[in-house]
Amino acid sequence: MTQHNSRSIHIEIRKGARSVGEYRFSHGDTATIGRNPQCHIVLDAKEVSRHHGTFNFDAIGFRLDNHSRNGIQTAQATSEGIIAYNTACFVGPYQLLICSEDNNHSSAPTADFRKDIMERLIDELNLNLVRGNPQELAYRVESALDRILAESGVSADERCPLRETLRNEAIGLGPLEPLLKDDTVSEIMVVTPRKIYVEKNGVLKRSEHTFSCESSVRTVIDRILAPLGRRIDESSPMVDARLPDGSRVNAVIPPLALRGSSVTIRKFSKHALSLDDLIAYGSLNREMAELLKQAVRQRQNIVISGGTGSGKTTLLNVLSAQIPDTERIVTIEDAAELQLHQPHVVSLEAKPANSEGRGEVTIRDLVKNALRMRPDRIIIGECRGKEALDMLQAMNTGHDGSLTTTHANSPKEAMNRLETLTLMAGLDLPSRAIREQIIGAVQIVLQQKRFPDGARRITAISELCGIDDEGRIQMTDIWRFAQSGDRNTDFVSTGWIPRFILQGKRK
């Protein structure tokens, strides 16, 4: 193999011909370098930035991430920033000599080594053609891997974890397997075969797991799509799908993805969140939760607005759980994500066209069909096209209590977006007529936002009030999240009492 798997690294820090310090790494360590006294490795020179870079020592190897315009020079580093042992990095006037503490151990599996092993395995077993009992296939793969790894000089200690990694790549989802099993990971993003990021607690981090090559990524994508009857190729290089546990998958391949196939997986939560959970997470307070609970039970039509990854679908799930068990619910989604536990739920999912361009069933088709299914409630996972017109008409014709989400940065922009989406239906309607449709259909807009620290909060609960003399939609905030500078403050009530509360009191 080409890279040592030393469990410790020693860095000697030199300035000119003089040694001025040292730093020792263990496997899994991360260290910052810079002029800031808070850095792990402090280099006091004007050419060094306050936070100049970061060293990481993980399963990928010993690597360097530069954060400074002044740069870091190194004699031997790959395009992924992996640094060879027994070499040097130059940061301003400093020289950092990187030495392995234990050169006698066998080396860690580099991606190139894993690629070689996979090619031998495929040649021997012809994995692309193997069919039959999954347990028998797993046994054959593991046996072949044991023999190939032994012949390649891999030690017995390293063989077991490496065999598991290669087994997953051969017949499973490769490096995605351990990430899918990790409950702390909420999203997985494959940027390139050698670069995978994950989201933990709302914060993106680079994972130590990698694919061996581009063909392994494509194989995993095909394994995800095969049971769903969907396809991806150069003529159709984008696809949405889901895993058996409900996790949502988006894949993009070349020529659209310039650096190699890209995969994004939003994991399915094993635990269905409740309003109490969202209160505990700080997404809203108890009074807001009670207001939303009443809004759903009193059949208010609700639109949840927010950016990508802001938690719109999670909030939609939580609100949908407040619908009484006695009602018939029809859900409509591009890729099924909603987790409703009521006894009477019909789940519909859009279908893309086949390889001949036939058989497509759009969200709009499903909305039209849902109106013939005698629903008490219609829930649309996301409103982003011509179906907006059909949804508004459904809300205006007796299907109260419907819910949907849309992409927008404020309640006002959400209503502007609904107006734009309605115009996409191709009907020559004046703007005022569309706005009157919206006012008659939608009562409550919830604005959801993801903050830099990863927290997701409802930043506004607004009620639509009417149209002013100039034809603009009027809305009033009931609750809003107040901020002062960089410091988050609290949820603030405006004192506005929504109409459905007043009507309930009059009854």
Side-chain angles (χ1 to χ4, degrees):
M1 289 183 246
T2 59
Q3 179 179 323
H4 294 292
N5 189 23
S6 168
R7 291 299 168 184
S8 59
I9 294 293
H10 171 255
I11 292 184
E12 182 185 358
I13 305 165
R14 302 181 66 86
K15 192 173 184 180
R18 185 166 54 95
S19 177
V20 295
E22 65 176 13
Y23 194 89
R24 294 180 184 274
F25 285 84
S26 296
H27 195 263
D29 283 353
T30 296
T32 54
I33 58 174
R35 200 172 69 246
N36 191 324
Q38 302 298 319
C39 288
H40 296 91
I41 301 175
V42 180
L43 305 177
D44 188 13
K46 64 180 182 180
E47 299 93 338
V48 180
S49 301
R50 289 182 60 80
H51 184 193
H52 204 99
T54 305
F55 283 117
N56 297 279
F57 185 27
D58 52 30
I60 298 173
F62 189 70
R63 56 192 170 85
L64 169 65
D65 295 320
N66 175 44
H67 305 308
S68 171
R69 293 180 181 177
N70 296 328
I72 300 174
Q73 297 180 354
T74 181
Q76 299 182 51
T78 70
S79 60
E80 302 296 331
I82 299 173
I83 303 172
Y85 299 151
N86 303 317
T87 188
C89 295
F90 300 90
V91 182
Y94 291 92
Q95 183 181 19
L96 279 61
L97 302 176
I98 297 141
C99 304
S100 169
E101 294 266 298
D102 182 7
N103 289 323
N104 296 321
H105 287 277
S106 63
S107 56
T110 64
D112 288 336
F113 175 76
R114 284 162 42 207
K115 180 181 178 182
D116 292 341
I117 297 295
M118 283 300 300
E119 287 176 351
R120 286 186 59 182
L121 182 67
I122 291 171
D123 287 341
E124 288 196 19
L125 299 184
N126 200 1
L127 290 175
N128 294 328
L129 300 177
V130 171
R131 297 288 185 272
N133 189 307
Q135 292 181 339
E136 180 183 349
L137 175 58
Y139 175 77
R140 291 177 59 192
V141 168
E142 290 173 2
S143 299
L145 283 172
D146 273 336
R147 179 174 45 75
I148 295 171
L149 291 173
E151 292 173 356
S152 301
V154 179
S155 68
D157 290 340
E158 291 179 323
R159 202 175 302 157
C160 185
L162 181 52
R163 184 186 65 178
E164 180 69 16
T165 298
L166 292 166
R167 175 190 179 279
N168 287 337
E169 199 159 334
I171 58 177
L173 299 184
L176 304 184
E177 293 274 7
L179 299 177
L180 289 168
K181 293 175 182 176
D182 186 347
D183 291 337
T184 65
V185 173
S186 56
E187 198 146 1
I188 303 167
M189 289 147 278
V190 179
V191 181
T192 67
R194 309 282 176 91
K195 191 180 292 184
I196 300 176
Y197 282 83
V198 297
E199 182 186 78
K200 292 187 177 185
N201 300 318
V203 179
L204 292 182
K205 298 179 179 179
R206 185 169 176 176
S207 170
E208 63 180 28
H209 300 284
T210 63
F211 284 93
S212 61
C213 58
E214 168 67 14
S215 63
S216 291
V217 184
R218 289 290 298 270
T219 298
V220 166
I221 294 173
D222 290 338
R223 286 187 187 133
I224 293 171
L225 298 181
L228 303 175
R230 299 198 174 190
R231 66 185 180 90
I232 190 168
D233 52 39
E234 288 188 3
S235 64
S236 180
M238 296 187 297
V239 70
D240 287 315
R242 67 179 185 277
L243 296 175
D245 69 353
S247 297
R248 188 171 72 186
V249 181
N250 174 266
V252 185
I253 64 172
L256 299 188
L258 301 181
R259 301 176 63 190
S261 298
S262 172
V263 182
T264 307
I265 300 177
R266 183 164 297 173
K267 287 178 62 178
F268 181 89
S269 175
K270 296 177 182 177
H271 168 61
L273 297 179
S274 66
L275 280 171
D276 288 337
D277 291 322
L278 296 189
I279 294 170
Y281 294 150
S283 298
L284 73 170
N285 63 24
R286 180 68 60 183
E287 292 82 1
M288 295 164 68
E290 288 300 320
L291 176 71
L292 295 181
K293 190 183 296 185
Q294 290 187 53
V296 174
R297 292 180 178 175
Q298 294 192 35
R299 305 182 67 83
Q300 299 296 289
N301 292 323
I302 299 174
V303 174
I304 302 170
S305 166
T308 301
S310 60
K312 299 187 298 297
T313 302
T314 297
L315 183 56
L316 182 63
N317 255 316
V318 170
L319 295 183
S320 299
Q322 307 305 315
I323 299 174
D325 290 350
T326 55
E327 298 188 21
R328 175 175 167 84
I329 306 168
V330 178
T331 68
I332 300 169
E333 300 174 85
D334 236 350
E337 287 184 273
L338 294 173
Q339 310 169 47
L340 274 65
H341 300 290
Q342 288 90 336
H344 198 158
V345 178
V346 179
S347 300
L348 305 179
E349 184 180 54
K351 178 179 176 294
N354 60 21
S355 57
E356 298 175 350
R358 300 175 182 173
E360 181 183 21
V361 180
T362 65
I363 294 287
R364 189 178 190 189
D365 296 330
L366 295 177
V367 173
K368 290 179 179 178
N369 189 76
L371 298 178
R372 307 184 186 104
M373 299 173 68
R374 195 224 166 268
D376 291 310
R377 310 257 190 162
I378 298 175
I379 300 175
I380 302 176
E382 182 181 342
C383 188
R384 56 184 176 189
K386 300 175 183 178
E387 67 274 1
L389 175 63
D390 305 283
M391 181 196 71
L392 293 175
Q393 290 177 339
M395 290 177 170
N396 270 314
T397 55
H399 297 91
D400 296 332
S402 297
L403 299 96
T404 190
T405 73
T406 194
H407 279 81
N409 294 323
S410 69
K412 181 178 179 181
E413 288 183 25
M415 296 303 98
N416 291 339
R417 179 165 169 78
L418 280 185
E419 182 179 343
T420 302
L421 295 177
T422 302
L423 288 170
M424 290 171 61
L427 297 181
D428 189 16
L429 295 173
S431 293
R432 187 177 184 93
I434 295 175
R435 292 169 188 170
E436 287 175 352
Q437 282 266 349
I438 293 173
I439 284 294
V442 180
Q443 285 86 49
I444 300 293
V445 182
L446 309 180
Q447 186 64 38
Q448 184 90 355
K449 182 179 177 180
R450 173 181 167 182
F451 287 77
D453 63 357
R456 294 169 171 88
R457 298 185 181 95
I458 296 176
T459 56
I461 301 178
S462 306
E463 181 180 38
L464 274 66
C465 302
I467 298 179
D468 64 17
D469 294 337
E470 296 180 5
R472 293 174 301 193
I473 293 176
Q474 297 295 296
M475 61 178 68
T476 302
D477 288 344
I478 306 169
W479 284 88
R480 66 168 70 100
F481 185 76
Q483 289 182 280
S484 177
D486 293 333
R487 183 183 175 188
N488 296 331
T489 53
D490 205 353
F491 298 104
V492 177
S493 170
T494 65
W496 179 265
I497 301 176
R499 282 172 293 183
F500 72 88
I501 295 291
L502 294 174
Q503 291 168 357
K505 289 180 178 180
R506 284 197 288 269
K507 291 179 182 178

